[in-house]
Amino acid sequence: MDVSFLGGPRPQRGVGVVAPFDFALDRELWRWVPDEVSLHLTRTPFVPVEVSLDLARLVSEHETLGDAVRALTAVAPEVVAYACTSGSFVGGIAGERAMCAAMSLAGAPPSVTTSGALLEALAELGIRRVALVTPYTVSVTRVLEEFVAEAGVQVTGCAFMGLTRHIWQVPYRDVVAMARQAVRPGSADALFISCTNLPTYDVIPQLEAELRIPVLSANQVTMWAALRRLGTRAVGPYQALLDEAARDWPVLPDEEQEHQEGAS
């Protein structure tokens, strides 16, 4: 059969992704990516360390980043994203900026990190108070709180799972339960669900509808920031960061009644 009329594959734009060796959610990243963009993933070398501050430091060493970026340059991505939250907040804001500089020095085009993308997303939405959900231990979670506070954003609530392995196996119901625990009514302008190894794509619209605030996740902000640098949009219907229409929270009956009572 003659298929020459098809003209070959459509041109693709590339996003390079550097992920920790234990990253297991490649498919989730792809769900935010439009058809004309390809992801080119590479992983950091394996180290026999559980999820911890030590691991965060190991998978974000500048030499490791440089090797990963050089491996990606063969396929010429237009942007490189470092997809690890703890690895990009463990050194504070200065450490995150140094990571981007190290990737650029190794030959990366524009580069982003998950934690840098988080701060970018909070600024985009004008968020000054945020609740946090993490799968981490208390020590790793506290460093995330410090990172967010360093950026001038108040942490209003936090729930963590205390996990050191197999984070990608956490079911959505557990993520929802932790979100409900972290967000106190009226206290937060947004919720951030940390860790690129924690599944979140399908749960974001549900939580936004229930909590009535933007819900951000590690993989979501990473893809949003990377694709933004390409001048294109991430795919995420009914996700407030990606869909402006989703930011218009409808007035609920009980809120309308409270408004009327207050005006009388």
Side-chain angles (χ1 to χ4, degrees):
M1 182 175 65
D2 182 11
V3 295
S4 59
F5 68 90
L6 294 175
R10 295 170 55 188
Q12 291 281 295
R13 308 183 72 184
V15 173
V17 179
V18 179
F21 64 89
D22 65 342
F23 180 70
L25 298 183
D26 304 56
R27 178 70 187 104
E28 174 157 292
L29 286 186
W30 276 97
R31 297 180 71 182
W32 274 290
V33 179
D35 289 343
E36 69 274 12
V37 175
S38 285
L39 297 182
H40 310 300
L41 277 85
T42 188
R43 281 167 168 75
T44 61
F46 171 77
V47 289
V49 179
E50 295 182 333
V51 177
S52 61
L53 291 174
D54 287 339
L55 179 62
R57 296 185 183 101
L58 286 170
V59 298
S60 61
E61 291 178 342
H62 291 187
E63 183 177 355
T64 298
L65 292 177
D67 289 343
V69 167
R70 284 186 284 272
L72 287 169
T73 56
V75 292
E78 296 181 50
V79 61
V80 171
Y82 175 76
C84 178
T85 325
S86 61
S88 52
F89 68 59
V90 69
I93 291 178
E96 189 277 334
R97 291 174 179 167
M99 290 176 66
C100 290
M103 288 191 284
S104 296
L105 187 62
S111 59
V112 300
T113 73
T114 298
S115 294
L118 166 61
L119 300 187
E120 191 175 326
L122 293 174
E124 174 73 11
L125 296 174
I127 303 302
R128 306 308 303 167
R129 304 177 303 164
V130 67
L132 304 175
V133 164
T134 90
Y136 313 131
T137 60
V138 62
S139 60
V140 181
T141 301
R142 293 294 174 259
V143 176
L144 172 59
E145 291 180 314
E146 293 167 3
F147 178 84
V148 172
E150 185 183 355
V153 178
Q154 179 186 358
V155 176
T156 61
C158 184
F160 59 94
M161 301 177 187
L163 302 179
T164 59
R165 61 177 64 190
H166 299 156
I167 290 171
W168 65 89
Q169 297 177 358
V170 174
Y172 280 150
R173 64 176 176 273
D174 291 358
V175 177
V176 170
M178 297 298 283
R180 290 168 175 163
Q181 180 180 336
V183 179
R184 298 189 300 273
S187 65
D189 303 320
L191 169 69
F192 175 60
I193 305 172
S194 191
C195 190
T196 54
N197 235 353
L198 190 64
T200 56
Y201 188 95
D202 293 307
V203 81
I204 290 172
Q206 172 190 338
L207 281 173
E208 289 189 334
E210 177 180 331
L211 302 175
R212 299 169 61 74
I213 55 176
V215 174
L216 310 175
S217 79
N219 284 328
Q220 178 205 47
V221 298
T222 304
M223 289 295 95
W224 168 79
L227 292 166
R228 197 183 199 199
R229 282 156 177 76
L230 297 187
T232 190
R233 298 171 64 91
V235 179
Y238 310 110
Q239 297 181 21
L241 176 63
L242 315 178
D243 182 356
E244 291 185 9
R247 303 176 195 175
D248 297 327
W249 316 109
V251 177
L252 298 178
D254 56 342
E255 292 178 341
E256 179 67 26
Q257 182 178 352
E258 291 175 2
H259 176 75
Q260 293 175 351
E261 291 174 353
S264 61

